[in-house]
Amino acid sequence: MDHVIDDKERVEVGRRLKEFRKENRLTQQKMASMIGYSSPYYSLIENGKAVNVNQRSFERIAKKLKINKTWLIEGVGEPAVDYVLAVDPFSDNIMIETEDHGVPLSSQTSRETLYTMLLNLPKLNTDELELLIDFAKTQKEMKQTEQNRLSE
């Protein structure tokens, strides 16, 4: 059974969402869009006034934002989810490995993930930064090779 979210918890989760949004320089409209809610409804959530949300709702929000659900719901830990970035050079899939497992991402999800990673560049370790640079170089080389092939 779902944990019932009381008024105090709703306000705290809303405060953490607002904190996350402002730290990442996002508007309420962008946050609402990222999680699939209307702007007015997201505003109610952020202000702790949406009464029809439960723990499962907040877990889905955390998953869509790729943030730590324990931090969002309980205020424990850090907002960022620990992950390891990997690129499969054969399939061109970006892999994000979290505590659960590696998940190949669709191009739309890859774009969202890339956006999140770019916002968090200062938090990436040296190996992850080098991996991103290598991936970008490979993509540039592949594009150039394809353009050369087409122009011949």
Side-chain angles (χ1 to χ4, degrees):
M1 182 178 217
D2 247 357
H3 167 73
V4 175
I5 303 292
D6 65 24
D7 292 342
K8 184 180 175 187
E9 288 173 306
R10 263 195 311 278
V11 169
E12 285 301 308
V13 170
R15 184 190 59 74
R16 284 189 283 277
L17 280 170
K18 185 175 187 175
E19 175 186 325
F20 175 82
R21 177 178 61 79
K22 288 188 172 214
E23 187 174 298
N24 289 285
R25 298 185 195 114
L26 299 168
T27 64
Q28 281 189 339
Q29 292 82 10
K30 179 64 180 170
M31 284 283 283
S33 171
M34 290 170 70
I35 61 177
Y37 291 147
S38 70
S39 294
Y41 185 68
Y42 174 77
S43 179
L44 289 173
I45 292 172
E46 196 174 273
N47 290 303
K49 297 179 180 177
V51 293
N52 57 339
V53 291
N54 57 30
Q55 182 174 350
R56 202 170 313 147
S57 302
F58 291 136
E59 288 172 357
R60 280 193 299 269
I61 290 170
K63 185 176 182 177
K64 287 183 178 189
L65 294 174
K66 296 177 182 51
I67 60 175
N68 180 347
K69 69 180 176 184
T70 305
W71 171 81
L72 180 62
I73 297 170
E74 300 172 22
V76 176
E78 296 293 321
V81 174
D82 288 333
Y83 64 87
V84 176
L85 171 67
V87 178
D88 181 347
F90 301 108
S91 69
D92 242 6
N93 283 335
I94 296 175
M95 302 288 287
I96 302 298
E97 293 188 9
T98 62
E99 295 173 356
D100 299 330
H101 49 68
V103 180
L105 303 169
S106 70
S107 58
Q108 180 184 10
T109 308
S110 294
R111 172 176 240 115
E112 291 168 3
T113 301
L114 182 59
Y115 177 74
T116 302
M117 289 183 328
L118 289 174
L119 286 175
N120 290 292
L121 274 177
K123 299 175 188 172
L124 296 178
N125 67 41
T126 304
D127 291 338
E128 290 171 327
L129 287 171
E130 287 177 12
L131 186 60
L132 278 174
I133 291 166
D134 289 345
F135 179 71
K137 286 178 182 176
T138 302
Q139 293 303 304
K140 182 179 178 182
E141 290 168 5
M142 288 172 55
K143 221 175 219 339
Q144 187 62 48
T145 301
E146 182 65 17
Q147 286 174 345
N148 291 343
R149 187 183 67 75
L150 291 173
S151 65
E152 291 176 348

